[in-house]
Amino acid sequence: MAADYEVAAGRSDSTERYWAELVRAYESAHPGINVEVEIVSWDHIDRQLADRVKAGKAPDMAQIASYAEFAERGELYRADSLLSIPVEANFLPALAEEGRYQGTQYGMPFTSSTRLLFYNEKAFARAGIDKPPTTWAELKAAAEQLQRRTGIARTPWRCP
């Protein structure tokens, strides 16, 4: 079971293409093994997985965000029982930490992205903001000050 993070409602061609290519390569390298991947929208996957586990029909693997309840009930394999030490050691520490439950690695980092934040220096100057924000609290305060002093509305940032 894999999450589709591309589209909230429906399926994404790029997600399906990614998994299809991965499965094709794996099955080619491991004759006799067949892999089925079910793509589920990210906003429904946790609930669908919980329902499947409760019904006794859990998938062998799932790409999800919340796993602690399964680890707490002993329903997950430890990562060190599935991965070699060099593979597990190659996880970025900040990402690996998110996959631990009570000190044991269960989740494996799958993907991550780094977002960039741009700001308009002239608008900041007009609003009396001397430097760019360095914390979420400062970002919120800057947005409120921009709106209050310049009339610039707080809107979601979108990348082209």
Side-chain angles (χ1 to χ4, degrees):
M1 184 178 278
D4 183 352
Y5 292 100
E6 301 282 329
V7 188
R11 293 180 155 181
S12 159
D13 287 344
S14 63
T15 299
E16 289 192 32
R17 208 170 32 252
Y18 168 80
W19 286 106
E21 290 170 10
L22 185 66
V23 166
R24 207 171 9 263
Y26 186 85
E27 288 177 344
S28 176
H30 302 87
I33 295 179
N34 296 315
V35 178
E36 293 179 34
V37 177
E38 178 185 358
I39 309 293
V40 179
S41 176
W42 68 270
D43 54 350
H44 300 294
I45 195 164
D46 288 338
R47 177 74 299 173
Q48 284 189 19
L49 178 63
D51 291 346
R52 291 258 186 92
V53 169
K54 189 174 184 178
K57 298 179 180 181
D60 295 324
M61 295 179 75
Q63 177 198 7
I64 58 171
S66 62
Y67 62 90
E69 67 183 87
F70 302 112
E72 184 177 44
R73 293 192 308 253
E75 297 172 336
L76 298 178
Y77 290 108
R78 297 166 51 113
D80 61 6
S81 72
L82 301 170
L83 304 173
S84 68
I85 291 171
V87 168
E88 202 173 344
N90 200 33
F91 291 165
L92 294 173
L95 298 179
E97 180 60 33
E98 295 302 314
R100 289 192 187 106
Y101 175 75
Q102 294 186 340
T104 300
Q105 190 78 41
Y106 292 100
M108 295 178 253
F110 177 73
T111 186
S112 179
S113 62
T114 303
R115 303 287 189 235
L116 300 175
L117 176 64
F118 297 90
Y119 70 99
N120 183 317
E121 291 177 350
K122 289 179 183 177
F124 269 47
R126 280 197 332 260
I129 303 168
D130 300 332
K131 59 185 172 109
T134 59
T135 67
W136 288 114
E138 288 177 8
L139 178 62
K140 181 180 178 191
E144 290 169 349
Q145 191 167 331
L146 278 164
Q147 185 175 25
R148 204 172 42 254
R149 293 190 180 176
T150 68
I152 295 173
R154 293 191 307 184
T155 58
W157 290 300
R158 288 182 174 47
C159 295

